[in-house]
Amino acid sequence: MQTESGASPGSQLLPVLSGLVDLLRQLQGPEQPSSVALTVLRLLAERGPGRVTDLARLARVSQPGMTQLVGRMEKAGLVRRVADPGDGRAVLVELTAAGREQRARTFAYHAATLDTLFERLDPRDSDVITQALPALIRLVDAGHAERPGHSPSGGEL
Amino acid sequence: MQTESGASPGSQLLPVLSGLVDLLRQLQGPEQPSSVALTVLRLLAERGPGRVTDLARLARVSQPGMTQLVGRMEKAGLVRRVADPGDGRAVLVELTAAGREQRARTFAYHAATLDTLFERLDPRDSDVITQALPALIRLVDAGHAERPGHSPSGGEL
DNA sequence: TATTGTTATACTCTATAACTATA
DNA sequence: TATAGTTATAGAGTATAACAATA
């Protein structure tokens, strides 16, 4: 794998990102939640209960698609729906204990897999990557800022 | 978005990766090839013609799944099947001109999207990320090395 | 009227099992 | 026998359109 050094930052980062995505594709683990389901588990764990509409927007799927996914996750015991006290139209989706546990197990499994890769790396490479993480986080946040009506550190979910 | 500084490298990188994956999910572009199809385009562009079996392994899908995907891509005019001169059982999949062009367009679109994010970033952050790319590439290669029977810089595809 | 959510329906994608052909 | 690929079939996942209920 190689990148051209004279190219734009985006075109240099892209193949690396593609490689990392492929890498994550193999990190399925025992329970195999889908990519979007994993995102929902993460959003609910990080931000607390949220509306179907907000989850759909943040996970970049349609509203009916999110309704259906929440239905499957509810059936699997990972989330529950509760009425929104302030808005009779809305539903709040929240993690169950089982959902929180599955999220923790999957996170731990993926992190452990990545750790085995880091062990094979020159410690200087590990350091360079670790030092770049805050900048990468800000890059991701810059992507969030692109979406109108969404504040990066979130209040609406 | 935030990570704990005392945690393992893997558990620090993981949420960042998740964010980047979410970011890529939005980068669909006009032609919307699926994630696996995009991987196949990339593999064929980077490595040249390859067998169905090898593509299936590298893209982490089943062999019949890859047969079906190649069939759809062939129908769309993106790839063609040619007989493997050295092995009567095998088929070599190769990009058509149209496939190469779509791959280039998608790559350019994604890279441009990432570039707009970099423009919003502090130049120091951009530099730190750029400097970490070679280390990240080696991390991805470490993931490839995990697969028995596959040499990172590839000869069999 | 606009918004939240669901239901109905169809399509894409992918997997497992069974099969054919070649090594 | 083992390997490369395909076909058959079924299931998961997701989208668009149409609908119901509340703001």
Side-chain angles (χ1 to χ4, degrees), chain A residues 14-83:
Chain A
L14 183 54
V16 180
L17 267 190
S18 305
L20 291 171
V21 168
D22 289 355
L23 214 156
L24 276 189
R25 196 165 16 230
Q26 107 193 50
L27 260 56
Q28 289 293 332
E31 284 149 329
Q32 316 230 14
S34 75
S35 169
V36 182
L38 201 51
T39 295
V40 170
L41 288 177
R42 181 169 56 84
L43 288 170
L44 295 178
E46 288 175 354
R47 298 166 167 247
R51 294 182 172 196
V52 170
T53 301
D54 292 328
L55 292 172
R57 182 171 38 79
L58 292 170
R60 310 252 170 209
V61 297
S62 68
Q63 193 181 64
M66 186 51 71
T67 288
Q68 293 161 36
L69 173 59
V70 167
R72 291 192 299 274
M73 293 176 76
E74 191 173 34
K75 198 172 161 190
L78 301 174
V79 301
R80 78 174 69 85
R81 285 173 163 100
V82 299

Side-chain angles (χ1 to χ4, degrees), chain B residues 25 31 34 54 67 69-70 99 101 113 116 118 130 136 150 153:
Chain B
R25 187 153 38 216
E31 284 150 331
S34 75
D54 291 328
T67 288
L69 173 60
V70 166
E101 285 157 17
T113 304
T116 68
F118 273 106
T130 301
L136 283 168
H150 172 243
S153 298

Side-chain angles (χ1 to χ4, degrees), chain A residues 1-3 8-27 35-36 39 42-43 46 58-61 106-108 110-118 120-122 124-126 128-147 152-153, chain B residues 1-3 8-27 35-36 39 42-43 46 58-61 106-108 110-118 120-122 124-126 128-147 152-153:
Chain A
M1 199 167 171
Q2 47 189 315
T3 58
S8 73
S11 61
Q12 288 183 71
L13 176 59
L14 183 54
V16 180
L17 267 190
S18 305
L20 291 171
V21 168
D22 289 355
L23 214 156
L24 276 189
R25 196 165 16 230
Q26 107 193 50
L27 260 56
S35 169
V36 182
T39 295
R42 181 169 56 84
L43 288 170
E46 288 175 354
L58 292 170
R60 310 252 170 209
V61 297
T106 304
F107 184 95
H110 286 189
T113 305
L114 289 177
D115 281 336
T116 66
L117 301 187
F118 273 106
R120 298 187 197 139
L121 224 50
D122 187 311
R124 285 170 299 181
D125 281 344
S126 298
V128 169
I129 292 172
T130 301
Q131 284 158 18
L133 291 180
L136 283 168
I137 290 171
R138 286 188 281 272
L139 185 74
V140 171
D141 285 341
H144 288 160
E146 195 170 16
R147 300 178 291 199
S153 298
Chain B
M1 198 169 172
Q2 47 189 316
T3 58
S8 73
S11 61
Q12 288 183 70
L13 175 60
L14 182 54
V16 179
L17 268 190
S18 305
L20 291 170
V21 168
D22 289 354
L23 214 157
L24 275 188
R25 187 153 38 216
Q26 107 194 50
L27 261 52
S35 169
V36 182
T39 296
R42 181 169 56 85
L43 288 170
E46 289 176 354
L58 292 170
R60 310 253 170 209
V61 297
T106 304
F107 184 96
H110 286 191
T113 304
L114 289 177
D115 281 336
T116 68
L117 301 188
F118 273 106
R120 297 186 199 140
L121 224 51
D122 187 311
R124 284 170 299 181
D125 281 344
S126 298
V128 169
I129 292 172
T130 301
Q131 284 159 18
L133 291 180
L136 283 168
I137 290 171
R138 286 189 281 273
L139 185 74
V140 171
D141 286 342
H144 287 159
E146 194 171 15
R147 299 180 289 201
S153 298

